[in-house]
Amino acid sequence: MRLLNCLVGTAVLASSAVAAPPGKVKTPQFFNAARHPGADPHVIWDAASHQYYVYSTEGADPGYNFAIYSSPDLATWHRHEGGVLRACYDDDMNRLPGGQACWARDWYWAPETYHNEETGWYFFFFAGRMTEDLTADNFRYSEFEEPSKIGVAVSKSPTGPFEEIEDKPIDYWPFDPNYHDVNLIMDKDQMLPPQSREEGQTAPMGTFIPTIDVNIFFDEDERVYLYASRNAYRNWNWDDELGKYIEESNIIVVEMDRAWWDDPTASTMPEIIASQKDIHAHDAPSLPCNITSYNGTGELGAPPRKDGWQTVISYGADPQAWENYHVNDYEVFNGTKKDRRWSEGSTLLKRPGQHGQSTYIILYSANNYEASNYSVGYATAESPLGPFVKSTSNPILSQDPDAAIPIYSTGHGSVVASPPKGKGVHVGAQDVTRQTPKGAELFYVHHGRNDTTVARSLYTTRMTLDEENVRFGSNDLITTHLTSQDQDLPKGTYPLHMEASCSQKGQVTVQVESKPGAAFDLTEGSNRVVGLPGDVEATTVTGESGSFELDFGQAGVKDVAYQRLSVDGSWNTVITRKTGCKK
């Protein structure tokens, strides 16, 4: 039970309202208020509950990892108590009772959730950095600094409880046999790479690849693909134009076996297809006999396989200048940061073209998430394995520092559609990745900030995908419409419906629902119900994202109004109802 004390006259923002006659409905609006903590958000539409669910790196309660939010409209978010996974360790790495994902010590990042409607299971994927005792047997060296892998948990409900299939990462061991592991010939600080390509090529070859930012695509031919960001660590690439090494993260892909997805008991761990398992065992170079004398090794382990992968987004294959914001950080920050590039946070879409040839579209984020110009671009391909060609219109989503309310660090989101149009029209959680529902709008739900000194928050941005322009190499296929000003709620979420009844003297029971029937959380600060006349605020509002009790005390009210907060601080009346109460 949640309790919101709404004392009359104590609202931070102005409480004036646009009047509306009883029963009249106005188009409800929202604005991106940076109200809810959120990072790397992944959003799905849940047809059963008519709600959107967002899973976020940030925002969970203490003692938990990953926040869960739900919303009827992609704007009015209700944060669910706790989080997806129970934390396994405290700040001193002491084991906590009932903890989950104990194979990871920290860096719980970038969750994504997928719903199998046939089996009813929700699959929650995430990244974590492995504990030190497990590092050598997964990445060969115990001192491998960023040993991140992908985990999975399952539930029959989008809000959990989620339980791991097994207490270990998914069965995937990507290995790069052709990489000169320059970290091994760097000094102990591991910040400054070799100063020439020739020196770098003296380093031993071969490295296991750390992965974060998982994204899974289910193609129409029932094949399944796992996309991930190859974490920048252990991926120094020589840049001919700059004449130096840059540590980069790239986006890679591998096809998955689908047994885990089809298992009605959700007890099968996700795996890659058999043809990619240990594919690099035969071409993996032998290590020098004195390998432990190199920096960054420590104790040696024995990972069981050397699996395949394919790069789909990298700077070197398709360079674009907007991705170069951090390539001089070592000098700028006096040796405390590395020269780096990032390609991460991918989302894979597919759309049919005009001449029968489908196009695969990958959205990705570049630059550091902490930077103001963290931005989004896209690329197209004729195959889910690429090659992908970046749009010359990139970035398609980036900061707006000159707006009345600035927006910074826009990126790492996911794509979702407004609710399906018409009764009986069904849209599954992953359907939007392959088609835009008829009459629907598209949205990119991402993180951003309204100040460069604050943490990331949830943002909802309208997105246009030009179906007439679907083709490989299209440079004007996707546009976004970032704003911090008022805008209409998504199509299909309104007109809203409100029920109000007098429960006892001074108290009114209220429920406000979207057009499909999902309830609004009336304790969320962007919406409220007041008494009429006079916009009388309730002294208390109690409830939990459904039916709410509003106490108007001795004032008593005969009518109530549902209002939404405007960017200028005013409250706009959307709909009014009689309560049946007698004053």
Side-chain angles (χ1 to χ4, degrees), residues 358-389:
S358 292
T359 297
Y360 294 85
I361 309 154
I362 192 167
L363 288 86
Y364 68 98
S365 297
N367 299 321
N368 189 300
Y369 76 91
E370 296 175 311
S372 62
N373 68 343
Y374 189 63
S375 305
V376 177
Y378 79 90
T380 56
E382 295 178 313
S383 161
L385 300 175
F388 281 83
V389 175

Side-chain angles (χ1 to χ4, degrees), residues 349-362:
L349 307 175
K350 178 184 181 182
R351 289 297 185 270
Q354 297 300 304
H355 304 291
Q357 175 65 51
S358 292
T359 297
Y360 294 85
I361 309 154
I362 192 167

Side-chain angles (χ1 to χ4, degrees), residues 97-164:
Q100 297 174 287
C102 296
W103 54 268
R105 63 182 122 153
D106 53 17
W107 293 6
Y108 294 95
W109 290 343
E112 300 216 354
T113 300
Y114 303 90
H115 182 214
N116 187 324
E117 293 190 65
E118 292 187 8
T119 66
W121 289 102
Y122 294 82
F123 291 82
F124 177 84
F125 288 84
F126 61 96
R129 184 168 69 151
M130 304 200 79
T131 57
E132 294 182 25
D133 61 308
L134 297 176
T135 297
D137 282 334
N138 283 272
F139 290 89
R140 188 156 62 187
Y141 307 125
S142 65
E143 294 181 7
F144 198 96
E145 189 178 344
E146 300 185 12
S148 295
K149 284 208 165 195
I150 305 301
V152 63
V154 296
S155 175
K156 280 285 190 174
S157 164
T159 57
F162 283 88
E163 300 293 340
E164 290 180 282

